[in-house]
Amino acid sequence: MLKPAAMQLPDYDRTQALALLKEKPGVTLSSFDIASKAHRRWDLKQPQEAALLFCLAFERAQQEGPGDKPSQAPNYFVRAAITFNQAGETAVAEPMLLKATQIDWSAAGLPHDSHMCEWAYEQLLLNQRHDSAEMFSQLFTQAQARCEQLGWVFPKIYPKQETLLEVALELEIASIVRTLVDLIGQRRPISRSARQQLQTAQQWLEQNST
């Protein structure tokens, strides 16, 4: 698994990132402050700007060194990868996302943030939605195996179950549709929209059963 020290950023537009930061002369913002700016950009549906700021937050977190609490650098790294991907910078994002799936969160002192592995896999899988069903299935299986190592069944995050079910239906992958139907069906309570999606998927399985 990837140790925190092994995470490296790709080449990125640091000049633009610093311009977005607007750090005043003589003032050094903390990594938390920079990440907060990145999250605001993300909330505003500005993933490119968010990604650049998350890169700066990652660098600043590494510069801050060890403190009373674990460094958040791994979280900023994953968020940079996700937002680069959402901005369409897949050539930059995918190597980062692959690294993110292998982060040793326990070694980083952040065991409760291991769910970010699932975020990374979701982005990689969404990038496969226009490729072959076989490639999607292989990556889904890898995600299941990795998350099993971390102690849960992939995917465990409710919105990601629904997003991936939609893609699995598009690609007509019955085995993954069935897996996701089982996971969503176990949820209590279950939203109206998820229930409707579940019914659609169950009907599709019945029509395509062999």
Side-chain angles (χ1 to χ4, degrees):
M1 288 185 286
L2 189 70
K3 302 297 182 182
M7 290 178 290
Q8 292 185 341
L9 293 175
D11 291 334
Y12 72 99
D13 193 339
R14 202 165 189 279
T15 300
Q16 184 183 354
L18 290 170
L20 290 167
L21 185 59
K22 298 179 181 178
E23 199 168 35
K24 295 179 180 179
V27 176
T28 301
L29 296 176
S30 69
S31 60
F32 176 83
D33 291 333
I34 299 171
S36 295
K37 289 177 178 287
H39 277 290
R40 281 196 290 274
R41 293 282 184 168
W42 200 0
D43 291 341
L44 291 170
K45 310 299 183 186
Q46 299 174 359
Q48 180 70 36
E49 291 82 356
L52 295 174
L53 289 169
F54 277 127
C55 286
L56 286 181
F58 172 80
E59 291 179 340
R60 190 62 54 86
Q62 289 191 316
Q63 293 167 1
E64 289 167 350
D68 295 335
K69 297 181 180 179
S71 171
Q72 292 295 319
N75 273 313
Y76 302 149
F77 181 89
V78 180
R79 284 164 173 76
I82 293 168
T83 46
F84 271 131
N85 201 61
Q86 292 177 343
E89 299 284 347
T90 55
V92 174
E94 288 191 345
M96 295 178 69
L97 290 167
L98 287 169
K99 288 182 180 179
T101 66
Q102 298 303 312
I103 291 174
D104 188 336
W105 292 95
S106 293
L110 300 166
H112 297 299
D113 292 330
S114 60
H115 65 280
M116 293 308 297
C117 173
E118 185 161 314
W119 279 73
Y121 269 120
E122 181 207 28
Q123 292 297 308
L124 289 166
L125 284 162
L126 289 177
N127 289 354
Q128 297 287 338
R129 73 185 306 163
H130 301 301
D131 292 322
S132 71
E134 182 180 359
M135 292 176 65
F136 185 92
S137 296
Q138 289 175 351
L139 185 58
F140 192 92
T141 299
Q142 291 175 21
Q144 288 178 305
R146 175 68 178 121
C147 290
E148 184 178 1
Q149 290 177 342
L150 294 170
W152 72 83
V153 175
F154 174 87
K156 70 174 179 178
I157 301 172
Y158 289 178
K160 302 192 184 316
Q161 292 176 352
E162 295 160 25
T163 298
L164 294 174
L165 177 56
E166 179 182 340
V167 179
L169 283 167
E170 288 177 9
L171 294 174
E172 299 184 345
I173 310 173
S175 60
I176 295 178
V177 171
R178 193 171 295 109
T179 294
L180 293 167
V181 162
D182 289 344
L183 288 172
I184 295 172
Q186 293 170 15
R187 286 157 44 176
R188 296 292 185 277
I190 183 169
S191 68
R192 179 178 297 179
S193 61
R195 190 181 300 279
Q196 291 173 341
Q197 186 185 34
L198 189 62
Q199 291 173 348
T200 298
Q202 288 170 330
Q203 290 173 358
W204 182 87
L205 285 171
E206 290 173 1
Q207 293 168 2
N208 291 273
S209 60
T210 56

